[in-house]
Amino acid sequence: MTSTMEQSNRAISNLEYDLLTALQNKAAAIKAYETYIKDAEQMNSQPCVELFRKLRDEDMKTAQEIRHHLQQVMQNGRM
């Protein structure tokens, strides 16, 4: 754990960094799912299309939740 003084010398807090990293990972996954959906469509595999859409939609929902937490942390310094 870092002291308040050490945290104030950083551009962003560890928590902000963690949330940004988690959001970036979700964004990358969402982008990848778009490719997976197209691949499954080309193979006429509707069950796989549905699975990848479900996974994409869940990650989109989670990304929104992460954004909300990030906004709160950036505005208030904590959640």
Side-chain angles (χ1 to χ4, degrees):
M1 182 186 283
T2 59
S3 70
T4 303
M5 179 72 135
E6 289 172 335
Q7 286 181 353
S8 67
N9 290 332
R10 294 184 180 174
I12 62 173
S13 70
N14 287 339
L15 184 55
E16 288 170 315
Y17 177 84
D18 296 344
L19 289 165
L20 284 167
T21 301
L23 185 57
Q24 188 277 329
N25 289 334
K26 288 296 176 189
I30 292 165
K31 184 176 180 181
Y33 287 132
E34 294 300 329
T35 300
Y36 304 161
I37 290 166
K38 288 177 187 172
D39 292 345
E41 287 171 340
Q42 288 177 351
M43 295 297 295
N44 295 316
S45 178
Q46 192 59 33
C48 290
V49 169
E50 291 173 13
L51 172 64
F52 290 132
R53 284 182 179 157
K54 177 182 174 185
L55 293 170
R56 179 201 57 201
D57 293 348
E58 289 172 358
D59 275 359
M60 289 175 72
K61 181 180 175 188
T62 303
Q64 289 296 325
E65 186 176 358
I66 294 168
R67 284 185 66 202
H68 170 74
H69 283 264
L70 178 58
Q71 289 170 335
Q72 293 297 311
V73 170
M74 291 180 77
Q75 289 174 355
N76 303 319
R78 60 186 169 87
M79 196 60 198

